[in-house]
Every structure is written in structure tokens, then in C-alpha cells.
Amino acid sequence: KHTLRSLACLLAALGIHQIGRLEAHHTRRVEIWMRYDEAFHDLPLAVPASPEPNTIHARHLYTVLLDIDRLTAGRDAIQDALFRENIGTGIHYVSLHLQEYYRKTYGFRPDDFPNARHISDRTLSLPLSPKLTDRDVEDVIAAVKKVLKRHIR
């Protein structure tokens, strides 16, 4: 109990100092998000959907859905190519039925949920942080364009 209480106090102390930066960080994320949307509109991928009206989207992850039917490489090869361009990406969506626990526990097979697998196999998260400079954002954009254009069918 004492350890959990100490941890909660520590986290609260850290969090209270971040609250003052919340609006500025969100504003910066929106700027980057909009720049990505503008830059990627003509590439073989789908950008994230626009937020619903009267909502504030956290803009936590910028995930693109690669149109691998129009590419000569899959998501993992695209991710590797971006890594070689010094762009860190993430795989933040792996369909539940593809994860080891659920495969072993429930006997799920990759083709059991084709729509979930379709999205899982094509989703890639790009860098999105308020700490990114304009130059960093342009580097991400240039690398994504370079890699995808190299792999267009």
C-alpha cells in the first residue's frame, strides 16, 4: 500500500507540471497532424479520419493505413525502409486475434477476422510529438514520400 501511494504521489507531482503545457502541446500536435494530412493526400495510404464535430481529438497517434494493393512492399518492409531513412515508426494496432495469447488460448487463426487482419496488416504510426521541430516534420514527410514512391506499383 505504501509503495502504491508513493508512486501515485510521484505521478501526480509529475503530472501537475505537465498540465500547464497541455494546450501548447495539443496545438503543436494539431499543426503536425494537419501538415501530414496535407503532405500525404496523394500517396497510396489513408490518413486518419477527421475528428467528429464538437470534439477535441487528443491527436495522440498519427496512424496511416497503407494501400498495399498499390505498393510493391508490405507494411513491415515499409517500416524497415523508413527506419533506414532514420524515421522511427510504430505498430500500434495488432488485431487481437493475431496476438499470441489469443491464438493459443482460443485457437484463432489469421483469417478468422479478415477485416481486423486487413487493418492490422496495413496500419503504421508516424512520429507525432510536440517536441518535433518543423525540420523534423519535413524529414518525416520527405522520407514517407521517398519510400512510398519507390514502392508504387
Side-chain angles (χ1 to χ4, degrees):
K1 266 187 166 178
H2 181 69
T3 304
L4 287 177
R5 190 172 300 143
S6 298
L7 178 60
C9 289
L10 176 64
L11 293 174
L14 292 171
I16 197 85
H17 292 290
Q18 294 178 0
I19 288 174
R21 296 188 297 262
L22 187 64
E23 190 171 330
H25 283 190
H26 184 262
T27 298
R28 179 62 180 152
R29 287 176 181 274
V30 170
E31 290 171 358
I32 295 167
W33 191 288
M34 291 172 56
R35 180 67 187 106
Y36 283 169
D37 280 354
E38 174 188 322
F40 300 146
H41 77 275
D42 62 343
L43 294 175
L45 55 75
V47 298
S50 298
E52 292 291 321
N54 302 315
T55 64
I56 298 174
H57 191 293
R59 312 285 178 152
H60 174 64
L61 294 173
Y62 189 90
T63 56
V64 295
L65 185 68
L66 298 170
D67 186 349
I68 60 175
D69 295 333
R70 293 176 46 205
L71 296 168
T72 61
R75 191 241 3 245
D76 294 345
I78 297 296
Q79 182 183 37
D80 186 56
L82 287 168
F83 177 77
R84 289 193 307 275
E85 296 290 329
N86 295 315
I87 303 300
T89 61
I91 307 295
H92 289 102
Y93 175 72
V94 177
S95 179
L96 203 66
H97 78 286
L98 299 175
Q99 296 180 30
E100 183 178 4
Y101 172 81
Y102 294 94
R103 283 191 339 258
K104 287 183 177 180
T105 304
Y106 300 106
F108 290 140
R109 296 181 313 259
D111 292 330
D112 283 348
F113 300 95
N115 292 335
R117 182 175 180 194
H118 177 91
I119 294 168
S120 182
D121 289 348
R122 291 162 175 78
T123 301
L124 185 66
S125 298
L126 300 179
L128 181 67
S129 166
K131 293 181 180 182
L132 292 175
T133 66
D134 289 345
R135 180 73 241 158
D136 294 334
V137 172
E138 294 307 315
D139 287 346
V140 171
I141 290 168
V144 169
K145 286 183 173 188
K146 176 181 176 181
V147 167
L148 291 186
K149 286 181 179 181
R150 187 183 325 141
H151 290 287
I152 291 177
R153 290 189 192 274

